[in-house]
Amino acid sequence: MFQPSFAVISGAQVHRALTGNEKMIVDLVEATYRVHGRGDTVNPPSYFLRMPDRPTSRIIALPAALGGESAVDGLKWISSFPENVAAGIPRASAVLILNDHDTGYPFACLESSIISAARTAASAALAADRLTEGTGRPRRIGFFGVGLIARYIHTYLAGTGWSFDEIGVHDLSAEHAAGFRDYLDGTGTTALITVHSDPETLIRDSDVVVFATVAGAPHVTDVSWFDHNPLVLNVSLRDLAPEIILASANVVDDVEHCLKADTSPHLAEQLTGNRDFIDGTLDEVISGAVVPRTGRPLVFSPFGLGVLDLALGRYVHEQLRAAGELEPVEDFFYELRRYGDPRRSHTS
């Protein structure tokens, strides 16, 4: 008889499974993009739960199904409460449910804020690598917004061989900017670290600009700030005015997903009534099917695909199982017989 099991995997276990494996995780993300690109995934639109009494907050459901050699289905349930930052705790918290491909039974629940940050950072590092192929890796990077995601992006860039001569930092909070500088100092980087008091100098002094803010609407509007044609990792999706998007070459992770929910590319579509400003997807760039336009800023906008969370969650589960570190919840699935188990008492 089929005997399903269910394990709860803590953030500490997730962290141990991923830390130090940045290159492998980037390769896994690339492989997942390729699976998605050939249509062997199901990745429906995310569902946004919004609360009228908390207008800046939301909880997002990302259901997905990943095909390939180790198929898995599942759901990421991730909250974004920006006010958490003022209270000294991270903005986002999340869990990931993994479901068996053949039976549909859930087999694991993982703490997923780390998985979400890791897959986002790995996607950004992959894009930075592939979108600068043939031109040499840029030596100046600027971080606009310096929370958990920015830290993970720096970690994944460093973990895949990137190094910089200059690192710029800008955040609305001087305290957070100083904290990120302290983090960078602690990594042993030899780069010159500059905390910029205004966004213009950060952008103009950076050949790679990482946007990792909690902005809900565009606040960077001056196209001239990007005259030096930097690579822009538009991770937070809503910082750039549509005019900047339209003046740039644009690569996304998935066109349908990215042009939703008032992202900067979505606003550009609304402004023009078309999608002609999209050069293609990252998978198309990797495969050689698309070469982004040159002589303009190059913007990578990843909406964040649920299949990436599944791929990393499955990897963590497999690593823990191989190490004998899974701890299944006893009797989590209790009613497994159609007409009940006669050995169990029906009395209360």
Side-chain angles (χ1 to χ4, degrees):
M1 178 183 173
F2 172 62
Q3 292 291 336
S5 65
F6 185 82
V8 176
I9 297 174
S10 71
Q13 290 176 300
V14 172
H15 185 266
R16 288 197 299 271
L18 296 181
T19 300
N21 294 318
E22 290 82 13
K23 178 62 169 65
M24 192 284 303
I25 297 301
V26 170
D27 291 343
L28 177 60
V29 165
E30 179 175 355
T32 304
Y33 276 137
R34 303 307 302 271
V35 173
H36 182 67
R38 66 173 183 256
D40 197 8
T41 63
V42 180
N43 207 106
S46 304
Y47 181 84
F48 288 72
L49 175 64
R50 300 184 185 275
M51 292 71 67
D53 63 324
R54 291 156 285 167
T56 65
S57 301
R58 62 188 186 272
I59 308 179
I60 311 168
L62 287 79
L66 176 62
E69 296 180 359
S70 301
V72 64
D73 308 327
L75 171 77
K76 181 172 74 171
W77 181 240
I78 181 166
S79 67
S80 175
F81 279 53
E83 282 73 16
N84 286 354
V85 175
I89 60 176
R91 168 187 61 86
S93 58
V95 294
L96 175 68
I97 302 293
L98 300 180
N99 293 74
D100 180 73
H101 173 271
D102 296 323
T103 68
Y105 268 78
F107 61 86
C109 176
L110 301 86
E111 194 286 330
S112 197
S113 65
I114 296 172
I115 288 174
S116 189
R119 63 86 151 146
T120 300
S123 173
L126 173 65
D129 189 55
R130 293 312 185 100
L131 294 175
T132 59
E133 278 187 332
T135 60
R137 287 180 167 178
R139 304 292 299 179
R140 303 183 304 166
I141 190 170
F143 288 90
F144 197 130
V146 292
L148 178 73
I149 297 299
R151 174 161 60 85
Y152 267 76
I153 290 174
H154 176 265
T155 296
Y156 271 76
L157 288 170
T160 50
W162 285 73
S163 60
F164 300 98
D165 296 328
E166 300 178 26
I167 301 177
V169 176
H170 174 72
D171 195 277
L172 293 179
S173 165
E175 178 185 357
H176 295 161
F180 194 71
R181 176 172 188 154
D182 290 343
Y183 153 74
L184 292 171
D185 282 334
T187 67
T189 181
T190 59
L192 173 65
I193 303 169
T194 303
V195 176
H196 294 266
S197 59
D198 67 279
E200 180 179 358
T201 57
L202 174 88
I203 293 170
R204 289 188 182 276
D205 290 350
S206 301
D207 301 313
V208 179
V209 184
V210 178
F211 283 96
T213 74
V214 296
H219 54 96
V220 177
T221 60
D222 194 329
V223 177
S224 71
W225 292 1
F226 300 84
D227 282 347
H228 58 303
N229 299 334
L231 171 63
V232 179
L233 301 178
N234 183 31
V235 175
S236 42
L237 291 173
R238 295 173 178 85
D239 302 273
L240 303 175
E243 290 79 9
I244 295 172
I245 296 293
L246 295 173
S248 304
N250 290 278
V251 176
V252 299
D253 55 355
D254 182 281
V255 175
E256 294 300 327
H257 282 78
C258 194
L259 273 66
K260 282 187 173 70
D262 290 335
T263 64
S264 295
H266 187 207
L267 295 178
E269 180 189 31
Q270 294 175 49
L271 185 64
T272 62
N274 63 64
R275 299 177 172 182
D276 296 346
F277 58 90
I278 299 292
D279 291 60
T281 67
L282 183 58
D283 173 61
E284 290 172 328
V285 172
I286 292 171
S287 69
V290 164
V291 177
R293 291 165 291 168
T294 58
R296 58 180 60 205
L298 177 53
V299 179
F300 174 59
S301 300
F303 193 79
L305 301 178
V307 291
L308 299 181
D309 297 282
L310 293 185
L312 266 66
R314 182 186 62 194
Y315 167 80
V316 170
H317 183 270
E318 290 174 351
Q319 295 302 303
L320 295 175
R321 181 174 59 185
E325 295 180 13
L326 284 180
E327 297 181 3
V329 179
E330 186 176 355
D331 290 333
F332 185 84
F333 297 105
Y334 193 68
E335 289 285 2
L336 293 174
R337 294 177 181 268
R338 186 178 182 88
Y339 300 108
D341 188 340
R343 292 171 296 178
R344 294 178 184 160
S345 170
H346 294 283
T347 61
S348 58

